[in-house]
Amino acid sequence: MVCEFLSSEYKKKLMKLAEVEDLMAIGYTKKSAYNSRLVGVISDERCEKLIRVLGDRALPIIEEALREFMRQVEELKKEVHQSTNQKSLLY
């Protein structure tokens, strides 16, 4: 559920934080764990499992992602508000 909202940037950060053993614990082989860690690509399903395996180690990344998401929501609110105000001036 959390990973559906994470950008690839934050998923990559989680992958870099994870040890090969962490990735193996969620279903990667040793070779695929090394390769996936280099590329930084992970499915949402495995990302969710990785967050559980990482536990408290993942929290700073998740919190940073949440703050960024909230910043983007606030920016969108401003844009929508400005757009609404401009439309009302036309009528």
Side-chain angles (χ1 to χ4, degrees):
M1 184 170 160
V2 171
C3 291
E4 293 176 27
F5 295 100
L6 286 182
S7 68
S8 58
E9 171 190 352
Y10 291 103
K11 289 179 183 179
K12 285 180 183 180
K13 287 182 179 187
L14 287 170
M15 292 293 285
K16 287 182 191 251
L17 175 65
E19 302 291 332
V20 171
E21 293 77 18
D22 297 326
L23 297 174
M24 290 174 66
I26 63 168
Y28 286 98
T29 64
K30 193 170 193 173
K31 182 178 180 180
S32 65
Y34 278 108
N35 290 337
S36 295
R37 198 163 177 254
L38 286 174
V39 177
V41 175
I42 188 170
S43 70
D44 288 345
E45 182 181 336
R46 281 195 171 160
C47 177
E48 296 290 342
K49 291 177 183 178
L50 181 59
I51 289 173
R52 286 189 208 101
V53 168
L54 292 174
D56 288 343
R57 294 183 288 160
L59 288 179
I61 294 170
I62 301 301
E63 289 169 347
E64 179 184 345
L66 180 58
R67 284 190 298 274
E68 175 62 21
F69 185 73
M70 287 303 299
R71 188 192 64 73
Q72 291 174 0
V73 168
E74 291 301 320
E75 193 68 32
L76 182 62
K77 279 181 173 177
K78 289 178 187 176
E79 290 174 16
V80 168
H81 184 70
Q82 288 175 348
S83 175
T84 304
N85 284 343
Q86 289 174 352
K87 286 181 182 177
S88 66
L89 290 175
L90 294 174
Y91 297 106

